[in-house]
Amino acid sequence: MPGLYELLTNKRDAIVAAWIKDVRSAFGYENVSYVELRDHVPAFLDELTTVLRRTQTGGPLPEETDHAAQHGLQRLRLGFNLYGLVQEYGMLRKTILDFAKAGGVTVSLDEYEVVSEFLTDGIAQAVSQYGEEREAELHRQN
């Protein structure tokens, strides 16, 4: 039976497309292009896939992901608010789990823990980078 690793490997682009549709609908990002909404999310999911594979073999989780920090910066530049940035990650988790359910993939507690921790770390890094850049922007204006 295929697991979450295989699902993310084989359905990454479909997961991203479904997530973009949900994000656009939830936040009214009608004027934001598909490419801008997609941003670093495919690379972020690729990194999550690598982490899932690594943890299956007993490897450690990475300390941080550059993709999440870059995503935070990109969202600030597009004028997105912090609430939306954080919600996007929760919506990504839901989209992954919806695809797992639809595909009959049983997500183990260990896999769920890896996904949750990875996304939580991603949120923290994105918010941190967003906040630092926003602070610097405000200082430049004064």
Side-chain angles (χ1 to χ4, degrees), residues 56-75:
Q56 288 175 347
T57 60
L61 287 172
E63 299 266 330
E64 57 184 62
T65 168
D66 185 51
H67 302 296
Q70 293 304 314
H71 185 76
L73 281 176
Q74 188 258 12
R75 291 316 201 227

Side-chain angles (χ1 to χ4, degrees), residues 3 7-8 10 14-15 35 43 45 51 55 60-61 66 71 79 82 91-94 96 99 114 129 132 142:
L7 175 82
L8 288 171
N10 297 325
I15 290 169
V35 172
L45 287 177
V51 168
T55 57
L61 287 172
D66 185 51
H71 185 76
L82 200 50
M91 293 173 79
L92 183 57
R93 177 184 3 252
K94 182 178 180 335
I96 291 167
F99 267 77
V114 168
Q129 193 66 47
E132 288 173 19
N142 291 330

Side-chain angles (χ1 to χ4, degrees), residues 41-118:
V41 174
F44 184 76
L45 287 177
D46 288 344
E47 193 169 0
L48 172 57
T49 303
T50 300
V51 168
L52 281 166
R53 175 58 81 193
R54 188 180 307 150
T55 57
Q56 288 175 347
T57 60
L61 287 172
E63 299 266 330
E64 57 184 62
T65 168
D66 185 51
H67 302 296
Q70 293 304 314
H71 185 76
L73 281 176
Q74 188 258 12
R75 291 316 201 227
L76 175 64
R77 289 183 191 124
L78 288 173
F80 290 16
N81 65 34
L82 200 50
Y83 175 80
L85 173 64
V86 171
Q87 289 299 97
E88 285 183 348
Y89 284 90
M91 293 173 79
L92 183 57
R93 177 184 3 252
K94 182 178 180 335
T95 302
I96 291 167
L97 295 175
D98 286 349
F99 267 77
K101 187 185 299 183
V105 174
T106 300
V107 178
S108 72
L109 197 51
D110 288 341
E111 288 173 321
Y112 185 79
E113 184 177 1
V114 168
V115 170
S116 290
E117 187 174 332
F118 189 81

